[in-house]
Amino acid sequence: PVTVTVLAEMQRRGVTRDDLLSCLHKLGAQEVPPASLHLLRSARAAGVPVHLLSDANSVFISHILAGARAMGLVQHVITNTAAFEPVPPPSGVGRPTG
């Protein structure tokens, strides 16, 4: 519920889905510690499967991992499933006229 509330407020303030996803991608590229990436790469090279357990959500994690270029280093992610819901257009927009 907290995440939904925060995301709804972000949307109300004009933050788009693409803005959010871009931010998550940048977060992965800039904030994942190099030592963590080294550990993941070393585990992969040694044939050790990596399982990521998180209380975040699948959308956030996938975009952060992609930004860090670490998607292929994690064999399995255990987290909350998430997806964007289609948002209907405002009343009167996209309706046939006549």
Side-chain angles (χ1 to χ4, degrees), residues 73-88:
L73 303 176
V74 176
Q75 282 70 35
H76 188 67
V77 177
I78 303 163
T79 191
N80 300 300
T81 307
F84 287 95
E85 294 179 3
V87 177

Side-chain angles (χ1 to χ4, degrees), residues 12-71:
R12 188 186 73 73
R13 293 180 183 203
V15 177
T16 68
R17 173 184 185 256
D18 290 341
D19 293 336
L20 175 62
L21 297 180
S22 175
C23 181
L24 291 168
H25 197 270
K26 287 178 189 174
L27 181 70
Q30 298 171 0
E31 299 297 329
V32 173
S36 295
L37 293 172
H38 177 74
L39 178 65
L40 292 173
R41 288 187 189 103
S42 296
R44 181 181 170 117
V48 176
V50 175
H51 301 270
L52 179 67
L53 175 63
S54 173
D55 67 347
N57 69 63
S58 57
V59 170
F60 285 22
I61 291 171
S62 65
H63 282 81
I64 291 170
L65 286 174
R69 298 182 182 213
M71 285 292 288

